Amino acid sequence: FLLRVDEGGECLVLRGESVSIGNVRQTRADLPVLANLAGRHASIRRSLSFHGGMQDVIVAEEGEVRVGDESVSSRPLVSGDRVQLGSALGFVYSLPSARSLSAMVQLQGAFQVAGTDRILLMKDRGKDGRLLLGPGRDCHVRVGSATAEVEIFAANTGQMRVACAAGGKIDGAPFRGEHPVDAGQIVEDGSLGDIFYDP
């Protein structure tokens, strides 16, 4: 889904255990980019282990992948890694918050997907994958003028939920604490402004 936050911009949020990256014209990738790439150039595969936590691995599929100066066929990613797909597309992988298992992929250059260069790889189901929106440096979406945080996460049923300690409104109806949110709804929080969730 596309997450739009007043003063925080837009992020494309992807849920799932694998995200493929490739050329937009071949329509075979989860992240279709208008760049000189193979149809399924590479993928990021996410796995959760009891002892190791979340592990994201970049896997070369139909194209060349470099992490830093090293050409790789498969490699675990660490926060701050610079990844190059072929000669065209680069991105920076990061884990913005120690409080969440959701990661960020920041496309480099002028490349975008769905109108944004920020992709959040959301750990699906559970508060440990929550997306944090607020003023802190460890938030996935920073809003410098905010005075409190908002959390967005997928419940164990898969339903998306929003949590605001100070409460807010969903499509104009007040709520406090935690509440389900559906596609297309507008969440208002006094400290953040409007949040729009668009599938």
Side-chain angles (χ1 to χ4, degrees):
F1 60 90
L2 195 61
L3 179 67
R4 296 185 181 111
V5 182
D6 279 359
E7 297 182 40
E10 297 182 352
C11 295
L12 180 63
V13 181
L14 297 176
R15 299 164 61 181
E17 296 178 355
S18 181
V19 175
S20 58
I21 306 166
N23 187 289
V24 69
R25 290 185 297 269
Q26 295 191 26
T27 65
R28 295 189 295 135
D30 301 313
L31 278 179
V33 185
L34 185 57
N36 186 17
L37 298 172
R40 277 182 65 100
H41 197 99
S43 62
I44 298 173
R45 298 184 185 161
R46 314 196 83 208
S47 61
L48 186 63
S49 71
F50 182 74
H51 295 293
M54 183 63 79
Q55 180 80 74
D56 289 329
V57 176
I58 184 79
V59 177
E61 293 194 23
E62 299 173 356
E64 180 191 20
V65 175
R66 299 185 73 78
V67 180
D69 295 327
E70 179 186 1
S71 182
V72 300
S73 58
S74 175
R75 182 175 179 274
L77 293 169
V78 297
S79 193
D81 272 345
R82 294 185 163 282
V83 179
Q84 184 71 34
L85 305 183
S87 60
L89 179 68
F91 68 83
V92 176
Y93 169 88
S94 65
L95 294 166
S97 178
R99 298 180 286 151
S100 172
L101 297 175
S102 292
M104 169 80 78
V105 169
Q106 177 82 50
L107 300 180
Q108 301 295 288
F111 294 106
Q112 294 188 336
V113 177
T116 183
D117 60 0
R118 296 185 297 167
I119 294 95
L120 291 168
L121 305 179
M122 184 179 189
K123 188 264 179 190
D124 203 10
R125 302 188 189 231
K127 282 195 172 184
D128 58 349
R130 64 188 175 267
L131 302 179
L132 301 163
L133 293 61
R137 291 188 184 276
D138 68 341
C139 286
H140 295 89
V141 179
R142 284 195 67 198
V143 181
S145 61
T147 57
E149 283 186 355
V150 172
E151 296 179 0
I152 298 173
F153 64 95
N156 291 335
T157 61
Q159 178 190 57
M160 294 302 296
R161 299 185 71 82
V162 63
C164 310
K169 295 180 182 177
I170 296 178
D171 288 344
F175 78 97
R176 291 195 69 75
E178 181 184 307
H179 199 277
V181 63
D182 292 322
Q185 289 191 307
I186 296 176
V187 178
E188 298 171 66
D189 171 83
S191 74
L192 273 178
D194 290 351
I195 303 162
F196 184 68
Y197 159 47
D198 187 15

